[in-house]
Amino acid sequence: MDPYSLKKLNKERQARRAAVLLTDIGDGRDRVVKEGDPVAGALGEAVKRAFLSGKSTIIEVDGRSFFLNVHVPPPRLVVIGAVHISQALAPMARLSGYDVEIIDPRTAFATPGRFPDVKLFAEWPQDALEKRPLDPYTAVAVVTHDPKIDDQALERALKAGCFYIGALGSRKTHAKRVERLAAMGFGADEIALIHSPIGLDIGAASPAEIAVAVMAEVIKTFRTRGLQASRHLEETA
């Protein structure tokens, strides 16, 4: 590997940004492609698929063979609210390969006894997220139903460009939430990124079923990230 490419790749990995080391097997030349970088033609489509799958692969394009060494940061799930849904959601997320953190300033809820073997922060979201910032490879699930706690987390999630932002609540609750976020200066397009009601519509009723719906929506969003935006650009080009 070219030393410059290695240095660039390590820089992206340390910053929790996805990158592919693209190597032409024929001549040995390589380059680092960051997620979102333009790559033309069939090779570009293969690179997009590799980012979404997270799996390294060998492909052939126009009679040439390429090795795509894929490096995608481990997805992270930050749950705002140490509630019953979170108790079911945390083990599901861990089984799915997600790093899990739960944040709730209410010390009666945020206890190790209720959340064993989970990174737990009995702090206000703005304080906890100051020390552990959000990023585009983080999903945020807001489930406290308390604007004093939820809104600060939503503000930071929108600003960080998290790949998934979900918020518990009825349509009436969400309408009030939209008003508060608009008052903070967020536009309609930004606020529309929030999944609310949270989770896929599977008719979930119990906390465990809601957790299943949330985890399914998180995984779906992660595995299709960027596709809707790229389709929109193609349609408007």
Side-chain angles (χ1 to χ4, degrees):
M1 182 191 302
D2 179 75
Y4 173 77
S5 296
L6 177 60
K7 183 178 180 180
K8 186 175 180 181
L9 179 62
N10 286 336
K11 181 180 178 181
E12 295 305 306
R13 295 178 65 186
Q14 290 169 5
R16 275 184 56 85
R17 293 190 293 259
V20 165
L21 180 65
L22 178 62
T23 303
D24 187 322
I25 295 176
D27 59 21
R29 293 182 181 179
D30 57 39
R31 61 178 169 130
V32 174
V33 179
K34 295 183 288 185
E35 188 165 26
D37 283 354
V39 179
L43 182 58
E45 292 302 315
V47 168
K48 287 181 184 177
R49 290 194 297 271
F51 274 123
L52 293 177
S53 71
K55 296 180 179 178
S56 299
T57 186
I58 295 176
I59 62 166
E60 287 197 12
V61 176
D62 298 329
R64 298 164 64 189
S65 296
F66 297 89
F67 178 53
L68 278 60
N69 192 352
V70 184
H71 298 268
V72 177
R76 172 185 170 207
L77 173 63
V78 175
V79 183
I80 309 299
V83 298
H84 292 309
I85 294 170
S86 311
Q87 287 179 293
L89 181 57
M92 290 180 195
R94 291 179 62 193
L95 284 171
S96 301
Y98 284 67
D99 293 332
V100 183
E101 300 169 22
I102 295 179
I103 300 171
D104 195 324
R106 301 171 298 183
T107 54
F109 292 90
T111 66
R114 299 182 72 232
F115 294 93
D117 304 319
V118 176
K119 294 176 184 175
L120 186 63
F121 301 91
E123 305 175 54
W124 290 94
Q126 58 267 37
D127 296 328
L129 298 177
E130 185 71 26
K131 292 175 283 189
R132 295 179 59 79
L134 302 172
D135 61 50
Y137 295 91
T138 300
V140 175
V142 174
V143 293
T144 74
H145 242 313
D146 185 341
K148 297 190 301 295
I149 302 173
D150 293 351
D151 289 1
Q152 293 294 328
L154 290 170
E155 178 184 10
R156 281 158 177 75
L158 288 169
K159 288 181 177 178
C162 293
F163 77 84
Y164 175 86
I165 307 170
L168 186 68
S170 65
R171 286 177 173 80
K172 182 178 179 181
T173 297
H174 188 60
K176 293 179 179 178
R177 181 185 292 133
V178 168
E179 292 177 1
R180 295 193 303 271
L181 291 171
M184 293 181 190
F186 290 104
D189 290 346
E190 293 173 296
I191 297 172
L193 296 172
I194 300 172
H195 296 258
S196 185
I198 195 170
L200 293 181
D201 185 5
I202 60 172
S206 69
E209 289 176 345
I210 294 170
V212 170
V214 172
M215 198 62 232
E217 191 170 53
V218 168
I219 293 170
K220 178 183 178 182
T221 306
F222 185 67
R223 292 303 178 193
T224 59
R225 65 192 186 280
L227 289 183
Q228 291 183 344
S230 62
R231 286 172 185 154
H232 176 72
L233 290 174
E234 291 172 1
E235 290 170 359
T236 57

